[in-house]
Structures are given as C-alpha cells and as structure tokens.
Amino acid sequence: MPQQKDIVKIAIQMPGAYPQLIQLDQKKPLSAVIKEVCDGWNLPGPDNYALQYADGVQTYITESNRLDIKNGCILRLTKAPGRCAEDLYKGIQSSDSGVRCDSLKELAKVSTDVTFAQEFISRDGHLLLVKIVEDANDIRSFFLIDPKAGFMELMDHGIVSWENLSSVFIKKIASFVNAKLTDASIQQVSLDILESMVLSSHSLFLEVKQEITMERLIAHLQVTNQQIQTKAMALLMALLQTAGDTERQVPPQPASYFLIRYSGSVQDKMAHYLYVLQSVTLNHMEARMRTPMDCYSQEQRDILHNLRLVAFETETENSLNHERRRSLCAKEFKKLGFSNNSNPGQDLVRTPPGLLALDTMCYFAARYTDAYSRFVLENSSREDKHECPFGRSSIQLTLILCEILRIGEPPSETGSDYHPVFFSQDRLMEELFCVCIQLINKTWKEMRATQEDFDKVMQVVREQITRTLSSKPTSLELFKNKVNALNYSEILKLRQTERRNARDFLHSELKERLKPELLELIRQQRLNRLCQGTMFRKISSRRRQDKLWYCRLSPNHKMLHYGDAEEDTDSPTIEELQKKIPVADIQGLLTGKDCPHMKEHKGKQNKEILDLAFSITYDVEEDSLNFIAPSRTDFCLWTDGLSVLLGRDMTSESMHSELEILLSMEIKLRLLDLENVPIPKSAPVCN
C-alpha cells in the first residue's frame, strides 16, 4: 500500500464529460495514470493525451513537475504536447485561411509551456514561422502582430539561439519598426524581437544597428502609446549598452534591468540609463586620474618634453652643452606655465588629476597644434604677472572636469543628470578640455587677471562650464558657442541677479515663517483691547447723538459685558455693566450698511457713520447688539477681536498695516550682522 503522503486527491476534467475524482499515486508512472483516466471515459490511444492544469498557467504535467500537484487541484485531460505540436505545425501550413488563423491563435496559448515548445521546435516549427515572415508581402499578413502570438515565447525558452535567424528575417522585422504607418501591435512585437536579438550576440547587434535608424527610435519615444514608448526605449538602451560593451568597455547590464528596477515615466527611466552609461564609460579614466607622474620614468619625461618642443620648436638645442640646455629647458617650462621649472613632473604628482592632466595636454597639443602654440606664445609675450600659465591651468582644468563629470564616482541609483553632448562625441573629456583651456585664456584676458587672480579665474571658468552643461547642449560645437558667449560680464550679471533673487526668496521664506507668530501676537493684542473695553455712542431715530454705552470682554473671553455709561466715566467695571452676552451665543458679525441699525441711515451724509458701524447677531431669534465705533482705529480693533472670538481671520486694514510693520522690523533684526558685536544684557538708562 502506498503511504498517505504519496496520495493526492484531485479532479480531472474533459469537455463533454463528467469530472473524475481520483486519488493520484505519485509513485505510479504518469503514463499509467493517464491510461486509467482514459479508460474511465472509454478513450482509445492514451498516448495521445496528457494532463494539464485547468486554472492559472495551464502548464503540462510531466514527470519532472508532478510533485507540485496539491490536494484539491483541478487538472484537464488534453492533447499530448507532441500531438498538439504536430497538429499546429500542419494547421499553420493549411491552404484554408480559417484553419491557419485558428492554428496561430492556439499556438499563442500553448507557446508559453516549455514542454510544448520543445516539441514544436523539434519539428522546426520556429523556422516555419520565420519563413512565413520572410515571405510576407503585406505587413498585415504578418501573424506575429498579435501580442498573444507565440514566436517570442518560443524563443524566450532558450531552446534555440537567436543567431539562427536569417538576415532576411531581421530586415523584415526592422522594416516594420522603420515604417511610419504600421499597426501598433506590429511595432510592439517587432521592437521586442529586435531587442532580444541585440542582447543575444554582437553579430546580431551589428545587423540590427545597420537596419534601424536612431531617428525612428526617437520618434517612437514621442508617441502616446506607452507600450511602444517602453519597447522603443528598451531597444535603444540595448543598442547603446551593446555599443558601450564593445567600444567603451561598459560593464554589461541588461536594459530590462533598468525597466524593471526603476519606476516612473519612460523618460525618467531613459534619463537614468543614459546617466549610468555615461558614468561607467567615463570612469575608465579613473586609473589615470589617480596615478601620479613618475619623475624617474623616461617615457613620461619624454612626453612632457615633447610638449615643450611642440610649443617652441627649438632647433639649436642639440648644439648646446648640458648646463645651457638645462637652463633653456627650465626657461621654456616656465613659459609653459609649470610651477617647478627644473622638474615640471612634480606638478603632476598630485592626484587627482595625475597622469590624466598630462594626457589632456598632449591631446590638445597633438590635435589642435596651432591653438596650442598660439596659447603659449601669446602668454610668453606678456608681462610675467599677466601670463596665463598653460601648465598650471591645464592641471586645474582637468581636475575641474573630473569633478563636473563625476569621474571616479559610482553612479547613484536615482541619478539622471546625463550630458547629451557625451553621446555625440567619442572623446568627450579630451574635447571638452580643448575647448575649455582656450576659454581660460579668453576669460583671463576679460578679467585682466594676474597670477594672484588664478583661483578667481578658475572659479569663473568652472561656473561657465557648469552653467553651459546644465543647458544640455547636444553637440560639442553647440557647447563651444554657448560657453564662449557666457563671458565674464555675463557671469557677473547672472551672479547679481541670483543674489537678488536669493535675497528676495529668503525674505519671502522668512516672512512665511514669521507670519503665524506675529499674527498670534496681533490676535492677543486685539483680545486684550476688547478686555479693556470701549465707550460707544447710540444714534437716535432723529439722527443725532443720544446716549453713551460701554462694552468690554471678560478676562476669560467667554462673556461680553455692556451697559449704559455716563459721559464722564472712564472705564466702568464688569460689575457695573448689567447686561451680558455669552460669546458662544454669537452667531455672526455684520459691518456697514448690512447692520440692522444702519438700514435707515443711507446717503452720502452718513458715509462716516457707515464706516464705523458694526453689529453682532446672537441667539436663535437673531437679536443684535449694534455699535458705532468712536474712530476707525477702534472699529478695526473690535471687528478684528470679534473675528478672533468667532474663529475667523482678521481682515481689517489696520491688521495688515501692523503685520507688515512687524514683519519688516523682525526681518531686519533677524538679518542683522551681529558677529563680534557685544549685546548688552540690560537696557540702556534713559536720561
């Protein structure tokens, strides 16, 4: 008897028949299990059948995966993989278009299963599909346009290599990508196929690169269909990555890694990938940047002396004795702008930039010899203090470029600050150096600099480079034009504008931070003023002053006390005021012509009274307490105070004026430069 753990209780379905509930013995051969199931339904030829999961991913059951079957699983009796592959292989070749269509739809369903894929590929089914594509005269006859089609799934199993595909097939697929008017589903699958080809081998990369234009890929990035955007970006990244692997020694990183790992828009993912590609490509210079010059290396010394020879072309040097030659070399290295004239290699010992500075200087001298000679000779003719030192400037410029381009720094996982000019230039570092070393000479003259101003000039040059790169120039020529247009006077204007904007921003930020505190101060002042109370006057029906009355707020802010008062009374106490209104009963605050006691007072002659009138309504009967303030100041104090009691914002002109005064005073106090200024602990004595 088999052990209980080897028995799995399952249900098996078949269209048109009642399900069978069986106890699957995992130790019994699968063929025997299938025979028992077929016998239960009186089906002949059990070899033509197989079991398959009925739900989810409908994978075939094999001897290798049968142990994954759990109690309660529902399986389906279906065609065996070999029989299914054979039927579909024949159906795809049928002369009946309906049979071909049905066969392709079925292929799309079963291609994800590796067991079926092995059977179909063993019959060269994948080559049959390739042949159909190659022979297709009309784009719409390309059956792979359906995203559910099975070609990509068959190839993704890795059973056969992408390199087995023909050039005709590649050109046909590329034509679907390059075509402007193509069904979106055609382009999606075509982009997918080409990306897999590029990532599979260098030879396929070269073929795809010849067929696909960069303009078309960029056009695909700008469409509204996000699926096409994503797949076009994946292909573009695959092309860039493979080019980097072979030409720039970029560490391999599948394009899909960036698509999956980083969320966000297609543009964000693309920007991050280009940033990483730029970073790892430039980092191959790190070794030179961190290697100091070996002053005992004859090879490195010869390179350094060649810089001198190119600049000065000394013909009589060989006829001089050792001391004279040494003196001449020291003089010329001084003109070249090296600090250590007798041993200029010492200037290159500092790392960074190390030997990378020597590389950039040599590149400039060899690639742009006339510009190099003009730089050196122009400064040789100036007074010593006005010379722009080529050697010292080159070393510092190389260091600046290393910092701006982040050479030697690992790329961050969120970085996206790439430079488009990098992808238009093979030797970006060296070419940027050649442009910027001439920029230094230009800026030096604009600033009328001396040797003491060297650091100031380099700070300006750093700013010129950084600002220009931040504008994302797409070519070296565009960078050159922009950086030269950004002269010293423009830098000064930009700095002044930014300082002014920063000051305004600081004031604005400080205002926003101080405003709540100062508003609370004004609120408390208003409530204190209500607690002190105010004498008001009544207006009779004959429109003349009648009587006086007094109103004040209780110290706990819960009650308004009021009552009649004599003219010679300064400030009646709360006990003397017989009437009161709970603050909690106040329903609203009215002003001007909306007040009940102003309904009959209309006309120009009463505008002064209207500006001083306010009322509070209270109780369910909407009774009101009517006020005529003795002055506009008292009107503002009371309406603000009552608004605070009602939980509303203060809106009077007096409040706004006081707030601006307090903010201005507080900001001036906060921004005072009190460094090294003694602050007395006690107030000064008044005389």
Side-chain angles (χ1 to χ4, degrees):
M1 290 290 292
Q3 296 182 12
Q4 190 66 31
K5 64 180 181 179
D6 296 327
I7 300 298
V8 182
K9 297 179 180 180
I10 60 173
I12 300 180
Q13 298 176 339
M14 188 181 75
Y18 290 108
Q20 295 186 38
L21 300 177
I22 68 169
Q23 293 187 352
L24 173 63
D25 183 357
Q26 291 285 31
K27 291 190 175 182
K28 183 182 293 186
L30 197 57
S31 58
V33 175
I34 294 173
K35 185 178 184 308
E36 290 179 3
V37 173
C38 289
D39 291 343
W41 280 315
N42 295 319
L43 296 175
D47 293 340
N48 293 324
Y49 294 95
L51 293 176
Q52 194 178 50
Y53 286 105
D55 300 322
V57 180
Q58 297 173 3
T59 308
Y60 277 105
I61 305 299
T62 64
E63 292 290 353
S64 60
N65 66 15
R66 63 182 294 177
L67 294 179
D68 296 333
I69 301 173
K70 306 297 182 185
N71 278 319
C73 276
I74 301 176
L75 305 183
R76 179 174 59 237
L77 188 69
T78 186
K79 287 183 182 180
R83 178 186 165 193
C84 182
E86 186 67 30
D87 290 347
L88 292 180
Y89 185 82
K90 292 178 180 178
I92 291 170
Q93 301 177 79
S94 173
S95 58
D96 187 328
S97 60
V99 174
R100 287 200 308 272
C101 182
D102 291 340
S103 298
L104 290 171
K105 288 181 180 179
E106 182 65 22
L107 177 65
K109 296 179 181 179
V110 296
S111 291
T112 56
D113 187 277
V114 66
T115 306
F116 167 82
Q118 289 170 339
E119 294 288 345
F120 191 74
I121 290 173
S122 69
R123 292 166 172 76
D124 291 333
H126 63 296
L127 297 180
L128 174 62
L129 302 182
V130 170
K131 182 65 175 174
I132 294 174
V133 175
E134 292 175 349
D135 295 341
N137 295 320
D138 178 12
I139 260 184
R140 297 194 178 276
S141 67
F142 174 32
F143 63 87
L144 301 181
I145 64 174
D146 187 348
K148 298 178 181 178
F151 182 79
M152 279 298 297
E153 286 77 3
L154 287 172
M155 297 301 294
D156 284 346
H157 290 301
I159 301 170
V160 291
S161 172
W162 284 94
E163 295 187 29
N164 292 338
L165 301 176
S166 66
S167 297
V168 176
F169 179 82
I170 295 172
K171 289 180 180 179
K172 181 71 73 171
I173 298 296
S175 70
F176 299 153
V177 173
N178 290 330
K180 293 183 179 179
L181 298 175
T182 308
D183 189 281
S185 54
I186 293 177
Q187 292 183 334
Q188 288 178 33
V189 177
S190 300
L191 288 165
D192 223 356
I193 291 172
L194 292 179
E195 183 202 1
S196 297
M197 289 180 180
V198 169
L199 293 175
S200 65
S201 76
H202 179 62
S203 59
L204 287 177
F205 155 71
L206 294 176
E207 288 194 60
V208 173
K209 184 180 177 183
Q210 289 179 349
E211 300 297 330
I212 295 296
T213 63
M214 194 63 68
E215 290 76 16
R216 284 305 300 154
L217 283 181
I218 293 173
H220 286 313
L221 291 175
Q222 297 170 348
V223 301
T224 56
N225 187 315
Q226 192 170 5
Q227 287 295 323
I228 290 181
Q229 275 188 332
T230 303
K231 293 185 181 299
M233 184 184 70
L235 176 56
L236 180 58
M237 291 193 299
L239 288 167
L240 289 171
Q241 172 208 314
T242 308
D245 292 344
T246 57
E247 298 167 17
R248 295 173 177 159
Q249 294 78 47
V250 180
Q253 189 67 273
S256 56
Y257 167 83
F258 294 94
L259 290 174
I260 296 170
R261 183 175 177 82
Y262 298 101
S263 60
S265 68
V266 172
Q267 289 79 9
D268 291 341
K269 294 174 184 176
M270 187 67 184
H272 177 76
Y273 183 78
L274 294 175
Y275 157 78
V276 173
L277 181 61
Q278 171 188 287
S279 179
V280 296
T281 302
L282 286 172
N283 277 355
H284 79 274
M285 299 180 182
E286 182 179 5
R288 298 290 286 178
M289 180 183 74
R290 302 196 184 283
T291 303
M293 180 168 176
D294 182 2
C295 296
Y296 296 99
S297 169
Q298 187 61 45
E299 180 184 357
Q300 294 178 14
R301 289 165 60 188
D302 289 345
I303 293 173
L304 197 54
H305 277 281
N306 188 58
L307 279 174
R308 179 182 62 83
L309 295 174
V310 172
F312 300 107
E313 298 181 356
T314 306
E315 297 179 358
T316 60
E317 183 177 329
N318 293 332
S319 62
L320 301 176
N321 60 39
H322 178 72
E323 288 300 323
R324 293 283 301 278
R325 187 185 301 114
R326 184 174 181 180
S327 175
L328 178 63
C329 289
K331 181 180 178 181
E332 291 180 345
F333 274 123
K334 182 180 179 181
K335 289 181 179 180
L336 268 177
F338 286 92
S339 302
N340 193 323
N341 303 334
S342 59
N343 189 2
Q346 289 293 332
D347 289 17
L348 296 164
V349 170
R350 183 177 58 151
T351 58
L355 287 177
L356 188 57
L358 182 60
D359 295 342
T360 52
M361 284 189 281
C362 291
Y363 183 88
F364 178 51
R367 181 73 184 270
Y368 303 97
T369 306
D370 291 343
Y372 168 65
S373 300
R374 189 164 52 250
F375 185 111
V376 176
L377 295 177
E378 180 184 336
N379 284 283
S380 299
S381 62
R382 296 177 185 168
E383 295 180 28
D384 287 350
K385 68 175 184 177
H386 287 290
E387 287 182 359
C388 177
F390 173 77
R392 184 182 178 190
S393 299
S394 297
I395 294 169
Q396 189 62 27
L397 174 60
T398 305
L399 179 61
I400 288 173
L401 290 175
C402 286
E403 292 172 352
I404 291 174
L405 298 176
R406 296 189 177 94
I407 296 176
E409 297 181 20
S412 69
E413 290 193 355
T414 57
S416 59
D417 188 19
Y418 71 96
H419 303 296
V421 66
F422 169 81
F423 299 97
S424 68
Q425 195 67 43
D426 287 337
R427 303 190 66 172
L428 177 69
M429 176 68 179
E430 292 87 344
E431 290 293 338
L432 279 181
F433 174 88
C434 295
V435 173
C436 295
I437 192 64
Q438 297 174 78
L439 174 69
I440 291 176
N441 193 38
K442 174 176 174 288
T443 304
W444 187 280
K445 290 185 288 186
E446 291 171 354
M447 294 178 66
R448 298 178 181 177
T450 63
Q451 295 293 330
E452 289 76 15
D453 299 321
F454 179 82
D455 290 337
K456 292 181 182 178
V457 174
M458 298 310 296
Q459 287 175 2
V460 172
V461 170
R462 177 192 285 270
E463 193 170 341
Q464 289 171 314
I465 298 170
T466 304
R467 287 182 183 274
T468 304
L469 285 176
S470 67
S471 69
K472 302 293 185 183
T474 55
S475 68
L476 187 68
E477 189 63 28
L478 190 57
F479 170 83
K480 182 178 179 180
N481 293 337
K482 285 189 173 185
V483 80
N484 282 299
L486 192 61
N487 54 37
Y488 179 56
S489 61
E490 288 296 319
I491 289 292
L492 290 180
K493 290 178 184 177
L494 288 170
R495 286 178 175 178
Q496 185 178 8
T497 302
E498 288 172 356
R499 279 197 297 268
R500 183 169 59 250
N501 292 341
R503 184 173 61 251
D504 293 343
F505 177 75
L506 178 61
H507 281 200
S508 176
E509 285 288 302
L510 198 52
K511 269 188 175 183
E512 291 304 313
R513 288 174 55 189
L514 293 173
K515 189 179 289 186
E517 177 184 341
L518 297 179
L519 279 173
E520 183 59 30
L521 184 65
I522 295 174
R523 289 190 194 96
Q524 292 301 321
Q525 186 269 341
R526 296 296 195 260
L527 293 176
N528 291 339
R529 185 66 183 80
L530 263 61
C531 289
Q532 293 174 11
T534 302
M535 188 76 75
F536 297 94
R537 58 195 174 101
K538 296 181 180 180
I539 298 297
S540 68
S541 59
R542 295 181 181 181
R543 301 183 181 179
R544 61 182 178 82
Q545 184 170 330
D546 189 9
K547 293 183 179 180
L548 298 174
W549 64 287
Y550 202 85
C551 185
R552 69 190 302 169
L553 179 67
S554 64
N556 62 6
H557 303 165
K558 292 185 177 181
M559 202 73 67
L560 275 178
H561 297 267
Y562 66 99
D564 295 337
E566 299 297 330
E567 188 172 354
D568 56 352
T569 304
D570 290 335
S571 179
T573 62
I574 288 177
E575 289 75 14
E576 294 174 329
L577 300 173
Q578 300 299 317
K579 300 178 181 179
K580 60 184 179 181
I581 300 173
V583 171
D585 291 346
I586 298 176
Q587 302 295 319
L589 173 64
L590 305 173
T591 59
K593 61 183 180 181
D594 295 329
C595 298
H597 62 308
M598 288 292 106
K599 298 293 184 181
E600 61 184 36
H601 295 282
K602 299 180 180 179
K604 295 183 180 179
Q605 69 274 20
N606 294 317
K607 186 176 186 307
E608 181 181 352
I609 295 177
L610 283 172
D611 289 341
L612 300 177
F614 62 97
S615 302
I616 56 174
T617 59
Y618 57 93
D619 287 337
V620 293
E621 298 177 1
E622 296 189 356
D623 290 339
S624 63
L625 183 62
N626 304 313
F627 299 77
I628 300 292
S631 67
R632 187 64 185 175
T633 300
D634 288 304
F635 173 87
C636 293
L637 290 171
W638 271 86
T639 53
D640 283 344
L642 291 169
S643 294
V644 173
L645 290 174
L646 294 173
R648 302 175 184 174
D649 292 333
M650 299 178 291
T651 58
S652 73
E653 66 270 18
S654 177
M655 182 278 297
H656 289 296
S657 174
E658 291 174 24
L659 180 61
E660 285 301 316
I661 293 172
L662 290 172
L663 282 171
S664 177
M665 292 174 59
E666 190 68 23
I667 287 173
K668 288 177 181 178
L669 287 172
R670 296 287 181 98
L671 297 180
L672 277 177
D673 185 5
L674 298 178
E675 187 176 358
N676 299 322
V677 176
I679 301 176
K681 295 183 179 179
S682 57
V685 179
C686 297
N687 295 326

